[in-house]
Amino acid sequence: MQIQDAGGQLTSRATYQLADLADYLARLVLPFLGALVLTTVVLLTVDVAPLDAYRILLFGAFSTPIRFGDMVMLASPLILCAGGLTLTFAAGLYNLGIEGQVVLGAIAAMIPLRLFPDLPPPLLWMLSFAFGAAGGMLWALLAASLRLGAGVNEIFAGLGLNFLASGIALYLILGPWRREGSASSSGTALLPRELWLPTVGSLRLAPLAPIIALVALVVVWWVLSRMRWGLEVRAVGLNGAAADRLGVPAVKRMAQAMAGCGLLAGLAGTLQVLGVFHQLIPNISSGVGLIGLLVVLLVLARPIWVLPVAVVFATFTVGSVQLPLTLGIDSSIAGVLQGALVLAALVSRGLMQRRRRA
C-alpha cells in the first residue's frame, strides 16, 4: 500500500512507518545525549568522575538480588502511574493530580484491611485492590468534574487535590488510625505479616506487583491503539471541539480518561501499602506520580515506550542510593539526570517542531 506524502510523492506504508520510527527514536536518543552532557557538567563541578557515577546509576540496581527486587517494586507503581497518564495525555489533559490519586488509593486500600482483619488474606487483597482502584478513580473524577463542570484548569485542580489528599492521610495517621498508645507522624501500625503480599524468598520482591503493572500497561496500549474508544480519546486530545461536532462525546471521553488514570494510580497506591511499606505513611506515594509524569513527557505519551523508560528511571533511583557510600555524593544526582532527560526531551521536541514549520 502506498501513501502520498506532503510533497505529493508516493511512498510505501512500510517506508512511512520506518521514517516515523526513526524520527521518534531520534527524539529519545537526543534527549539522552543532552542529559548526559548536562549531568556530566554537574558531576565535574563537584570533582566526581562521571563514568564512576554512571556505572553505579546504571548497574547498582543489578548488583545484588535485594537491590534488583527494590528496583522492580519501584518500577511497578511507576509503570501504573505512567500508563494511566498516557490516557489523560491522549485526551489532552495534564493530570498533575496523580500524586493525590495515589494517596487516596492507598487510603482506600487500608479501609478493608482495618475493617475486616479476620478475613482470609487473598480475599482481603482483592478487596484492598478494589477499594484502592475505586479511591484513585473517584479522586480523579473529582478533578475532572472541576475541570469539565466548573472550568477549573486540571493542573490547578490536581495540585490542590494533591495537598488535600496528603492532609487527609496525615489526619488519619495522627487521628483515627494512629498507632495504639501513641500518635506518630511516621505512619500507622504495620500490617500483620500475613497481610503483606507474598515475596520471593527473603527478598522484598512481590511478584504480583510487576504482573499487575505489566497487565495494566498492555491494556492501556490496547485500548489506545486498537479500540475505537482510544481513537476517540486521541481525537478529543487533538481537537475537542471538532471531535464533538463529529459525534464524539468529548466531555465523556475526557472524564473516562481521567477515571482510568485514577484507577491505575489507585492500584499503585495499593501496591505501596501491601507490597512496599505495609502501612500508611505521610509520603505513601514516594513521588511515583511525579516521576510518572517525567516518564510520559519523555516518551511523548506512547504506552509502548513506558516500560523501558520506567525501568531506567527506577534503576537510576535505586542505584543512586549507593552514591553517598561509594563516591561521597548525594543520591539526588539521579533526580538531576531524570530532570535533565525531560528538559532535553522538551527542548528537542520544540526544535524539531520549529524546523518542520520552517
Side-chain angles (χ1 to χ4, degrees):
M1 182 176 179
Q2 291 185 320
I3 302 173
Q4 190 174 42
D5 62 19
Q9 300 296 319
L10 291 176
T11 182
S12 68
R13 178 178 292 274
T15 302
Y16 181 82
Q17 291 175 339
L18 286 174
D20 182 63
L21 177 62
D23 178 69
Y24 185 72
L25 288 175
R27 294 188 185 190
L28 283 179
V29 173
L30 292 177
F32 269 102
L33 294 177
L36 286 175
V37 171
L38 179 59
T39 309
T40 298
V41 172
V42 173
L43 290 170
L44 290 175
T45 59
V46 294
D47 199 26
V48 172
L51 290 180
D52 291 338
Y54 294 143
R55 176 179 54 81
I56 294 172
L57 286 174
L58 289 173
F59 302 110
F62 303 93
S63 58
T64 67
I66 291 178
R67 288 172 183 151
F68 176 77
D70 291 343
M71 184 275 290
V72 174
M73 292 306 293
L74 174 59
S76 298
L78 179 55
I79 290 170
L80 285 169
C81 290
L85 285 166
T86 60
L87 295 173
T88 55
F89 271 66
L93 298 170
Y94 293 88
N95 183 19
L96 266 66
I98 191 166
E99 280 282 304
Q101 292 149 32
V102 173
V103 174
L104 255 293
I107 292 172
M110 287 287 294
I111 294 175
L113 298 174
R114 297 185 64 87
L115 291 179
F116 315 110
D118 297 327
L119 289 178
L123 180 56
L124 265 179
W125 295 332
M126 293 175 60
L127 287 173
S128 188
F129 277 111
F131 273 63
M137 182 173 64
L138 291 175
W139 206 246
L141 284 174
L142 178 56
S145 66
L146 291 173
R147 164 68 169 81
L148 302 173
V152 179
N153 187 285
E154 72 273 9
I155 295 176
F156 302 116
L159 291 174
L161 290 172
N162 286 347
F163 283 107
L164 179 56
S166 297
I168 294 172
L170 189 59
Y171 164 73
L172 291 171
I173 291 169
L174 294 175
W177 293 354
R178 65 181 180 273
R179 296 181 184 180
E180 188 174 349
S182 66
S184 173
S185 61
S186 61
T188 60
L190 284 174
L191 296 172
R193 189 69 184 234
E194 61 269 18
L195 295 184
W196 299 11
L197 289 181
T199 57
V200 178
S202 61
L203 303 180
R204 293 186 286 261
L205 171 58
L208 189 60
I211 291 173
I212 291 174
L214 292 176
V215 169
L217 186 59
V218 170
V219 171
V220 168
W221 169 81
W222 180 263
V223 298
L224 282 180
S225 62
R226 295 292 185 270
M227 292 183 64
R228 178 182 178 87
W229 182 88
L231 177 62
E232 291 180 350
V233 167
R234 288 185 281 122
V236 170
L238 291 173
N239 192 321
D244 197 54
R245 286 195 294 270
L246 291 174
V248 176
V251 172
K252 184 178 180 180
R253 292 293 177 262
M254 285 191 285
Q256 289 172 341
M258 284 289 286
C261 182
L263 186 152
L264 295 183
L267 291 179
T270 306
L271 286 181
Q272 295 290 81
V273 169
L274 293 177
V276 179
F277 297 107
H278 312 116
Q279 61 179 157
L280 181 66
I281 64 172
N283 188 30
I284 191 68
S285 71
S286 297
V288 293
L290 294 177
I291 299 176
L293 282 168
L294 298 182
V295 171
V296 173
L297 287 171
L298 185 58
V299 304
L300 305 181
R302 295 195 180 187
I304 196 171
W305 294 102
V306 165
L307 175 60
V309 175
V311 169
V312 168
F313 272 43
T315 298
F316 288 164
T317 302
V318 174
S320 67
V321 176
Q322 303 172 59
L323 290 175
L325 298 176
T326 55
L327 299 180
I329 60 175
D330 194 86
S331 61
S332 59
I333 192 65
V336 173
L337 182 56
Q338 292 167 351
L341 278 170
V342 177
L343 178 61
L346 294 176
V347 171
S348 174
R349 184 180 181 183
L351 292 175
M352 287 185 176
Q353 290 177 341
R354 177 178 293 183
R355 186 185 65 185
R356 288 175 177 175
R357 287 194 298 267

PDB file of all heavy atoms in Angstrom, residues 21 24-25 28 217 295 299 302-310:
ATOM      1  N   LEU A  21       9.334   5.838  12.888  1.00  0.00           N
ATOM      2  CA  LEU A  21      10.077   5.219  13.983  1.00  0.00           C
ATOM      3  C   LEU A  21      11.439   5.870  14.161  1.00  0.00           C
ATOM      4  O   LEU A  21      11.876   6.135  15.288  1.00  0.00           O
ATOM      5  CB  LEU A  21      10.238   3.722  13.720  1.00  0.00           C
ATOM      6  CG  LEU A  21      11.057   2.931  14.750  1.00  0.00           C
ATOM      7  CD1 LEU A  21      10.386   3.003  16.122  1.00  0.00           C
ATOM      8  CD2 LEU A  21      11.216   1.487  14.317  1.00  0.00           C
ATOM      9  N   TYR A  24      11.042   9.143  15.841  1.00  0.00           N
ATOM     10  CA  TYR A  24      10.728   9.001  17.261  1.00  0.00           C
ATOM     11  C   TYR A  24      11.958   8.574  18.060  1.00  0.00           C
ATOM     12  O   TYR A  24      12.204   9.077  19.161  1.00  0.00           O
ATOM     13  CB  TYR A  24       9.604   7.980  17.449  1.00  0.00           C
ATOM     14  CG  TYR A  24       9.158   7.884  18.886  1.00  0.00           C
ATOM     15  CD1 TYR A  24       8.420   8.907  19.457  1.00  0.00           C
ATOM     16  CD2 TYR A  24       9.501   6.797  19.669  1.00  0.00           C
ATOM     17  CE1 TYR A  24       8.010   8.845  20.768  1.00  0.00           C
ATOM     18  CE2 TYR A  24       9.100   6.723  20.982  1.00  0.00           C
ATOM     19  CZ  TYR A  24       8.355   7.744  21.529  1.00  0.00           C
ATOM     20  OH  TYR A  24       7.970   7.674  22.841  1.00  0.00           O
ATOM     21  N   LEU A  25      12.760   7.659  17.500  1.00  0.00           N
ATOM     22  CA  LEU A  25      13.983   7.244  18.188  1.00  0.00           C
ATOM     23  C   LEU A  25      14.944   8.419  18.337  1.00  0.00           C
ATOM     24  O   LEU A  25      15.637   8.540  19.349  1.00  0.00           O
ATOM     25  CB  LEU A  25      14.646   6.096  17.427  1.00  0.00           C
ATOM     26  CG  LEU A  25      13.943   4.739  17.504  1.00  0.00           C
ATOM     27  CD1 LEU A  25      14.641   3.726  16.617  1.00  0.00           C
ATOM     28  CD2 LEU A  25      13.903   4.240  18.951  1.00  0.00           C
ATOM     29  N   LEU A  28      14.207  10.337  21.280  1.00  0.00           N
ATOM     30  CA  LEU A  28      14.634   9.705  22.528  1.00  0.00           C
ATOM     31  C   LEU A  28      16.134   9.788  22.722  1.00  0.00           C
ATOM     32  O   LEU A  28      16.622  10.050  23.818  1.00  0.00           O
ATOM     33  CB  LEU A  28      14.191   8.237  22.542  1.00  0.00           C
ATOM     34  CG  LEU A  28      12.722   7.943  22.839  1.00  0.00           C
ATOM     35  CD1 LEU A  28      12.469   6.444  22.785  1.00  0.00           C
ATOM     36  CD2 LEU A  28      12.319   8.471  24.210  1.00  0.00           C
ATOM     37  N   LEU A 217      -0.458  -2.084  31.720  1.00  0.00           N
ATOM     38  CA  LEU A 217       0.166  -1.358  30.615  1.00  0.00           C
ATOM     39  C   LEU A 217      -0.260  -1.928  29.266  1.00  0.00           C
ATOM     40  O   LEU A 217      -0.504  -1.177  28.315  1.00  0.00           O
ATOM     41  CB  LEU A 217       1.689  -1.412  30.758  1.00  0.00           C
ATOM     42  CG  LEU A 217       2.486  -0.581  29.751  1.00  0.00           C
ATOM     43  CD1 LEU A 217       2.100   0.894  29.843  1.00  0.00           C
ATOM     44  CD2 LEU A 217       3.989  -0.757  29.983  1.00  0.00           C
ATOM     45  N   VAL A 295       8.264  10.411  33.018  1.00  0.00           N
ATOM     46  CA  VAL A 295       8.338   9.306  32.065  1.00  0.00           C
ATOM     47  C   VAL A 295       7.451   9.587  30.853  1.00  0.00           C
ATOM     48  O   VAL A 295       7.875   9.431  29.699  1.00  0.00           O
ATOM     49  CB  VAL A 295       7.933   7.981  32.732  1.00  0.00           C
ATOM     50  CG1 VAL A 295       7.785   6.872  31.688  1.00  0.00           C
ATOM     51  CG2 VAL A 295       8.948   7.569  33.782  1.00  0.00           C
ATOM     52  N   VAL A 299       8.522   9.980  26.882  1.00  0.00           N
ATOM     53  CA  VAL A 299       8.113   9.039  25.829  1.00  0.00           C
ATOM     54  C   VAL A 299       7.010   9.606  24.941  1.00  0.00           C
ATOM     55  O   VAL A 299       6.464   8.889  24.102  1.00  0.00           O
ATOM     56  CB  VAL A 299       7.649   7.698  26.438  1.00  0.00           C
ATOM     57  CG1 VAL A 299       8.729   7.107  27.306  1.00  0.00           C
ATOM     58  CG2 VAL A 299       6.358   7.861  27.244  1.00  0.00           C
ATOM     59  N   ARG A 302       3.494   7.720  24.637  1.00  0.00           N
ATOM     60  CA  ARG A 302       3.301   6.475  23.889  1.00  0.00           C
ATOM     61  C   ARG A 302       3.460   5.292  24.840  1.00  0.00           C
ATOM     62  O   ARG A 302       4.552   5.062  25.371  1.00  0.00           O
ATOM     63  CB  ARG A 302       4.300   6.367  22.743  1.00  0.00           C
ATOM     64  CG  ARG A 302       4.120   7.441  21.677  1.00  0.00           C
ATOM     65  CD  ARG A 302       4.865   7.083  20.418  1.00  0.00           C
ATOM     66  NE  ARG A 302       4.696   8.092  19.395  1.00  0.00           N
ATOM     67  CZ  ARG A 302       5.135   7.958  18.142  1.00  0.00           C
ATOM     68  NH1 ARG A 302       5.760   6.846  17.788  1.00  0.00           N
ATOM     69  NH2 ARG A 302       4.955   8.917  17.255  1.00  0.00           N
ATOM     70  N   PRO A 303       2.399   4.524  25.055  1.00  0.00           N
ATOM     71  CA  PRO A 303       2.455   3.430  26.044  1.00  0.00           C
ATOM     72  C   PRO A 303       3.551   2.409  25.773  1.00  0.00           C
ATOM     73  O   PRO A 303       4.101   1.829  26.701  1.00  0.00           O
ATOM     74  CB  PRO A 303       1.060   2.792  25.938  1.00  0.00           C
ATOM     75  CG  PRO A 303       0.185   3.842  25.364  1.00  0.00           C
ATOM     76  CD  PRO A 303       1.057   4.647  24.455  1.00  0.00           C
ATOM     77  N   ILE A 304       3.870   2.172  24.504  1.00  0.00           N
ATOM     78  CA  ILE A 304       4.823   1.119  24.164  1.00  0.00           C
ATOM     79  C   ILE A 304       6.217   1.405  24.718  1.00  0.00           C
ATOM     80  O   ILE A 304       7.018   0.495  24.925  1.00  0.00           O
ATOM     81  CB  ILE A 304       4.870   0.918  22.627  1.00  0.00           C
ATOM     82  CG1 ILE A 304       5.553  -0.410  22.300  1.00  0.00           C
ATOM     83  CG2 ILE A 304       5.561   2.082  21.955  1.00  0.00           C
ATOM     84  CD1 ILE A 304       5.458  -0.790  20.842  1.00  0.00           C
ATOM     85  N   TRP A 305       6.523   2.683  24.981  1.00  0.00           N
ATOM     86  CA  TRP A 305       7.844   3.046  25.498  1.00  0.00           C
ATOM     87  C   TRP A 305       7.851   3.250  27.007  1.00  0.00           C
ATOM     88  O   TRP A 305       8.908   3.516  27.590  1.00  0.00           O
ATOM     89  CB  TRP A 305       8.334   4.330  24.815  1.00  0.00           C
ATOM     90  CG  TRP A 305       8.599   4.159  23.359  1.00  0.00           C
ATOM     91  CD1 TRP A 305       7.799   4.561  22.321  1.00  0.00           C
ATOM     92  CD2 TRP A 305       9.734   3.538  22.757  1.00  0.00           C
ATOM     93  NE1 TRP A 305       8.360   4.222  21.125  1.00  0.00           N
ATOM     94  CE2 TRP A 305       9.553   3.592  21.352  1.00  0.00           C
ATOM     95  CE3 TRP A 305      10.891   2.940  23.267  1.00  0.00           C
ATOM     96  CZ2 TRP A 305      10.484   3.070  20.459  1.00  0.00           C
ATOM     97  CZ3 TRP A 305      11.821   2.415  22.372  1.00  0.00           C
ATOM     98  CH2 TRP A 305      11.610   2.483  20.992  1.00  0.00           C
ATOM     99  N   VAL A 306       6.698   3.149  27.637  1.00  0.00           N
ATOM    100  CA  VAL A 306       6.624   3.391  29.081  1.00  0.00           C
ATOM    101  C   VAL A 306       7.472   2.386  29.863  1.00  0.00           C
ATOM    102  O   VAL A 306       8.198   2.749  30.789  1.00  0.00           O
ATOM    103  CB  VAL A 306       5.160   3.353  29.564  1.00  0.00           C
ATOM    104  CG1 VAL A 306       5.086   3.222  31.089  1.00  0.00           C
ATOM    105  CG2 VAL A 306       4.431   4.620  29.129  1.00  0.00           C
ATOM    106  N   LEU A 307       7.374   1.099  29.504  1.00  0.00           N
ATOM    107  CA  LEU A 307       8.073   0.057  30.257  1.00  0.00           C
ATOM    108  C   LEU A 307       9.582   0.275  30.309  1.00  0.00           C
ATOM    109  O   LEU A 307      10.156   0.341  31.404  1.00  0.00           O
ATOM    110  CB  LEU A 307       7.744  -1.325  29.682  1.00  0.00           C
ATOM    111  CG  LEU A 307       8.501  -2.507  30.309  1.00  0.00           C
ATOM    112  CD1 LEU A 307       8.217  -2.610  31.795  1.00  0.00           C
ATOM    113  CD2 LEU A 307       8.128  -3.811  29.598  1.00  0.00           C
ATOM    114  N   PRO A 308      10.287   0.389  29.174  1.00  0.00           N
ATOM    115  CA  PRO A 308      11.748   0.552  29.276  1.00  0.00           C
ATOM    116  C   PRO A 308      12.172   1.825  29.984  1.00  0.00           C
ATOM    117  O   PRO A 308      13.129   1.816  30.765  1.00  0.00           O
ATOM    118  CB  PRO A 308      12.216   0.531  27.812  1.00  0.00           C
ATOM    119  CG  PRO A 308      11.009   0.859  27.007  1.00  0.00           C
ATOM    120  CD  PRO A 308       9.849   0.319  27.768  1.00  0.00           C
ATOM    121  N   VAL A 309      11.465   2.924  29.727  1.00  0.00           N
ATOM    122  CA  VAL A 309      11.875   4.189  30.350  1.00  0.00           C
ATOM    123  C   VAL A 309      11.580   4.168  31.843  1.00  0.00           C
ATOM    124  O   VAL A 309      12.379   4.665  32.653  1.00  0.00           O
ATOM    125  CB  VAL A 309      11.180   5.375  29.652  1.00  0.00           C
ATOM    126  CG1 VAL A 309      11.505   6.682  30.367  1.00  0.00           C
ATOM    127  CG2 VAL A 309      11.613   5.457  28.196  1.00  0.00           C
ATOM    128  N   ALA A 310      10.455   3.585  32.248  1.00  0.00           N
ATOM    129  CA  ALA A 310      10.145   3.482  33.674  1.00  0.00           C
ATOM    130  C   ALA A 310      11.188   2.621  34.389  1.00  0.00           C
ATOM    131  O   ALA A 310      11.603   2.937  35.507  1.00  0.00           O
ATOM    132  CB  ALA A 310       8.748   2.907  33.873  1.00  0.00           C
TER     133      ALA A 310
END
